[in-house]
Each structure stands twice: as C-alpha cells, then as structure tokens.
Amino acid sequence: MVTEVIKAKELQKLDPVFGQLSFDNHEQIVFCNDKDTGLKAIIGIHNTVLGPSLGGTRMWQYNSEWDALNDVLRLSRGMTFKSAITGVNLGGGKAVIIGDAKTQKTPELMLRFGEFVHSLGGKYITAEDVGMTTSDMDLVRTVTPYVTGISEEKGGAGNPSPITAYGVFMGMKAAAKYKFGTDDLENKVVYVQGIGNVGEALVEHLSDEGAKVYISDINQERLEEVRDKYHATIYTGNNLYSEDMDIYAPCALGATVNDHTIGQLKAKVIAGAANNQLADEQKHGRLLREQGIVYAPDFLINAGGIINVYAELENYGKQEIMRKTENIFNTTLEILTNAETNDVTTHKAALDIAQSRINSRRKEN
C-alpha cells in the first residue's frame, strides 16, 4: 500500500509538464541546469510558424519549479499571439531563470545561460524581462548572436521598457475612447499597480496628460521616488481593487484579474503592461464583459517591446518603431469594436485575429 502511494506521487509529479493547463501544444521545453554557476532555467518555445521564437528572460525567485514552469508556458504562449497580432514574423518563446536577480545573478550565470540559448541554433532568441537589464543582454551577446534588446552603443535598439510603456499608453487611450467617448485622460483616475521600468514610464505619460495617478508597489523606496518625480499619489489602502477608479493598469505580475478580485473591481477600463492579466482567459474575460468593464488585451497593448527588439532583426529605426507602436491605438479600437459586434470577449476577438494569421502561414508552408 505504501509503495502504491509512493508510485502515485511519482506519477503525479510527472503529469504537469504535458498535462497542466498552461501547456498549449508547445513545440519544445528546455530545462537548463549548471552546477558550477547555480543556473536553473527553463526555456519555453511555444510556436515557430511565423518565425523563430522570441521572448525575454525573466529572473524570479519562484516558490517552486512547477511555478516557474507554469510561468514560462503561459508567457511563451502569450508571446506567440503578441507577435502574431502585431504583424511581426516571429514565434513565441520565453525563458525563466529561477533565483533572486539582486543576489544570485552573476556574469558567469548569464554567460552559461547564453550558451544554452546558443545551443538551440536560433530557434529561440532571448531579450530583457523582469530581473534583467540591457547590460545583461550585452553580456549574453558575447556568447550568442541570438539575443535582442542590446544597448544602442553596441548597435541594438536599447531598453524596450519605454516603448512598451508607450504602447500600453496608446492602448489605454483607445480603450478610454471606446468607453468614455474621448481618449483624453485628463482628470481620469488611474491606478498603476507595479512601478518597474515600464510602470514608471507609463506613470510619466499619464502625468503629462493630466491624469490623477495612484501608484502601488511592494518597494516603498521606489514608490517614493516615482511619486516625487511625477507627482503621483502613493496608494496606502489595503484593497486596491475595490477603490473607485476609471482605469486599472496592472503592470506587475499576471493573474491579478481572478476569482477573488473580479467581483470587487470598480474600474471601468483595464489596460496595463502585465502579461496574462486574466487568471482564466475565458471565464474572467466573460465576467468582465458582463460587468461592463472594458479590457484591453494585454498581449496586444504591451507589444511595444517586441516591436522595439524586432527592429534589431529587421534593421528599422526609431521612427518606424514609434509608428508601429502608435498603431496599437488603432488596432485596440478595432478589436474592441469587433468584440462588441460579434458578441465575444475582447480577449477572444484579439486571439482570433492572431490565430488566423498563424493558421494562414501554416497553410502556406
């Protein structure tokens, strides 16, 4: 009996790789381990129909390796649809490194990670994400050409965060126009949750437009810095979701729109930079629609970063980067209108367009 229980537990541990919900017919999952540097990383390659998979590397202290796997699966899938809907010829990939970026990231670890990326022969191209910097990408570039987001001094497009934030701002303005009849955000109450590089740049745009910006983050020092720079208000309550606001902008980790928060939300628009904001895409997308909350699909409006790094592969300049990023406004408005016309969630409307492009390319091949 004890032996049977042990076997059952062993089988249970084996199941989640292919069996968990986040697995969506991913083409390849690569587990990277190096004892000397302490590297433990996972590379997820979701789809390469449109081109090589591209997505940033995130370094995070996950609670478990299963959490890390789930994150890389969800993120790489999101990158597939982000590239498809943006019109770039890239597939979806992502990487996560398990560890604390502040205390465990070393040059040796990053170089070893770069070697793992190189071993894939270009099927996966990495870039900057949470816990990473442009200088990290410069370092990885010394061992593999399959990296974007390198510094402008080394011929790259630089830090993608400002462009990502600008795309989110464009998507937010489009959602505001759809909901309120105007894209003018002056005096609109906006709660920005997560003040990393993208969150801060978004706060700057909102402040310049005259919005009433409230900011939230686990880093108090960071909050005070951003407050002082842009005259934002630090949120000091204990339940941000229940506050009266016009726009909720999640810019930290995903799944903040979930069973617990969705009934409390008083926002009229959700438009932020975080990936995978809906814990359950179908269920929570439908509930938002029923509550009359306009949701600007995350993988659409946070696509400025992919536009920025794609410039390195296609050799187009800042002017074209900005033009493509500004077009997120038009695409968002089109998708929100299509969702209403076809009586579907905004997430599904966006997903259908992205999937259609992938399907068309697959038929061509």
Side-chain angles (χ1 to χ4, degrees):
M1 182 66 177
V2 174
T3 305
E4 289 176 0
V5 170
I6 291 172
K7 285 182 178 178
K9 286 184 177 179
E10 288 174 350
L11 288 171
Q12 195 174 21
K13 288 179 181 178
L14 292 173
D15 276 347
V17 177
F18 291 103
Q20 65 177 319
L21 292 175
S22 298
F23 184 80
D24 181 49
N25 294 309
H26 283 67
E27 293 179 11
Q28 194 171 357
I29 304 167
V30 182
F31 292 86
C32 313
N33 181 65
D34 183 69
K35 184 179 178 182
D36 292 339
T37 62
L39 175 70
K40 289 185 182 298
I42 309 172
I43 299 171
I45 299 172
H46 177 251
N47 188 290
T48 57
V49 171
L50 294 175
S53 67
L54 188 149
T57 296
R58 170 174 295 185
M59 188 166 186
W60 191 257
Q61 190 65 67
Y62 292 94
N63 292 327
S64 71
E65 291 173 5
W66 292 123
D67 285 348
L69 175 61
N70 181 62
D71 203 28
V72 80
L73 290 175
R74 283 172 60 88
L75 290 167
S76 57
R77 175 179 179 269
M79 291 304 300
T80 292
F81 299 120
K82 186 181 300 190
S83 292
I85 203 164
T86 309
V88 300
N89 294 318
L90 292 170
K94 205 77 175 183
V96 298
I97 297 174
I98 301 170
D100 187 330
K102 293 180 180 177
T103 61
Q104 294 176 276
K105 184 170 60 176
T106 64
E108 293 76 18
L109 180 142
M110 291 307 304
L111 288 169
R112 190 70 184 98
F113 173 72
E115 290 170 356
F116 277 107
V117 170
H118 190 69
S119 72
L120 294 170
K123 192 173 183 181
Y124 168 66
I125 302 169
T126 195
E128 180 185 333
D129 201 276
V130 176
M132 291 291 148
T133 65
T134 304
S135 60
D136 291 324
M137 296 304 104
D138 287 347
L139 187 59
V140 170
R141 187 59 176 262
T142 64
V143 293
T144 180
Y146 305 123
V147 55
T148 57
I150 59 174
S151 63
E152 294 182 68
E153 307 88 76
K154 296 185 181 298
N159 182 2
S161 297
I163 307 299
T164 301
Y166 186 59
V168 172
F169 183 60
M170 289 291 101
M172 183 184 290
K173 285 174 71 68
K177 184 174 179 62
Y178 179 82
K179 182 67 176 178
F180 307 120
T182 175
D183 65 2
D184 186 355
L185 300 178
E186 186 175 5
N187 292 322
K188 288 288 185 288
V189 177
V190 184
Y191 276 67
V192 180
Q193 183 185 44
I195 312 297
N197 292 332
V198 176
E200 178 182 347
L202 179 60
V203 168
E204 182 177 8
H205 287 302
L206 290 167
S207 298
D208 288 345
E209 186 132 332
K212 296 178 180 177
V213 184
Y214 291 79
I215 55 177
S216 170
D217 197 279
I218 57 174
N219 187 331
Q220 185 64 29
E221 185 179 339
R222 184 88 173 116
L223 282 171
E224 292 171 1
E225 178 187 344
V226 172
R227 175 198 62 193
D228 295 342
K229 283 174 73 173
Y230 307 110
H231 308 293
T233 301
I234 297 174
Y235 177 65
T236 56
N238 55 18
N239 188 5
L240 179 150
Y241 306 101
S242 65
E243 299 292 337
D244 286 318
M245 68 184 85
D246 294 301
I247 301 171
Y248 166 50
C251 295
L253 298 180
T256 58
V257 180
N258 52 51
D259 287 340
H260 176 67
T261 63
I262 202 163
Q264 305 173 57
L265 276 169
K266 293 182 180 177
K268 302 168 186 69
V269 168
I270 298 176
N275 291 303
N276 303 312
Q277 292 167 25
L278 307 181
D280 184 315
E281 294 171 0
Q282 295 182 3
K283 176 183 178 182
H284 298 132
R286 186 178 65 253
L287 287 173
L288 288 176
R289 179 168 171 73
E290 290 171 359
Q291 291 178 207
I293 300 173
V294 174
Y295 170 62
D298 51 43
F299 65 87
L300 164 63
I301 72 170
N302 68 12
I306 199 81
I307 292 169
N308 190 70
V309 296
Y310 190 57
E312 292 181 24
L313 305 178
E314 292 296 304
N315 296 313
Y316 56 78
K318 282 288 184 185
Q319 189 174 350
E320 183 65 7
I321 290 172
M322 297 307 292
R323 188 193 70 79
K324 288 177 180 292
T325 305
E326 284 176 0
N327 195 51
I328 288 174
F329 180 97
N330 298 324
T331 308
T332 303
L333 205 53
E334 178 186 346
I335 283 169
L336 297 180
T337 304
N338 286 348
E340 182 178 4
T341 301
N342 298 315
D343 194 26
V344 297
T345 68
T346 57
H347 186 276
K348 187 178 189 311
L351 204 62
D352 286 349
I353 291 174
Q355 190 62 60
S356 175
R357 183 166 180 250
I358 294 168
N359 292 344
S360 295
R361 179 63 63 84
R362 185 178 280 117
K363 288 177 182 177
E364 292 173 8
N365 295 339

